[in-house]
Amino acid sequence: VVAELATGSPALADAEALLDAMDEAAGAPGAGHGEFLPLDTRFHTSLAEATGNQVIAAVMSGLRGAIESYVTEGAAALPDWTATSTRLRAEHRAILAAIRSGDAGEAEALVARHIADYYAETRLSPAPDAQNTTPSPAHLPTTGS
């Protein structure tokens, strides 16, 4: 998805607005993952929708509930949500910057690392070992953290 975005000039205003909303949610008193995670899912879905590819957008929309479920499960087990949300927001901004600059390879690598690191941090699946580096984005969902 992100490679497709990086090759054109899609409308990414929704994604940018969602990043700003995540920043606001993270800075609110008593902020937790409950406010952040729906925005996170919408961010990833907005990237799929920005491609203009209706099939990709429909698949992402259909996966939305399942993705929110595993992301919420993982977030509940994190010892320091503030640190995690800070990292996730920085990663989201880097992904969007790579897309805007047209660097498809960097955007794909950032998304793959973003997802793999969240899985590893939440222990939803084992971290990639030294023999098997970051998983291919083709085998990972493109939302969720």
Side-chain angles (χ1 to χ4, degrees):
V1 171
V2 292
E4 190 172 328
L5 288 174
T7 61
S9 54
L12 294 169
D14 286 346
E16 189 72 43
L18 288 164
L19 292 179
D20 293 341
M22 279 185 240
D23 288 344
E24 275 186 48
H33 59 72
E35 300 81 19
F36 180 91
L37 294 177
L39 295 168
D40 175 82
T41 301
R42 285 178 44 207
F43 169 75
H44 289 277
T45 303
S46 76
L47 294 180
E49 291 168 353
T51 67
N53 182 322
Q54 296 304 312
V55 173
I56 290 173
V59 168
M60 288 305 302
S61 181
L63 290 173
R64 188 175 184 169
I67 292 167
E68 280 187 30
S69 175
Y70 79 73
V71 170
T72 300
E73 176 187 335
L78 292 170
D80 186 353
W81 173 250
T82 301
T84 298
S85 71
T86 299
R87 178 182 57 79
L88 294 174
R89 288 181 291 120
E91 290 172 358
H92 289 149
R93 295 235 180 240
I95 290 165
L96 192 56
I99 291 167
R100 287 192 186 278
S101 73
D103 191 340
E106 179 68 4
E108 283 184 332
L110 289 170
V111 167
R113 191 167 44 246
H114 175 68
I115 294 167
D117 287 353
Y118 186 78
Y119 268 84
E121 182 180 16
T122 60
R123 302 176 197 264
L124 290 171
S125 72
D129 61 27
Q131 300 288 331
N132 181 17
T133 59
T134 304
S136 164
H139 295 95
L140 296 171
T142 55
T143 68
S145 46

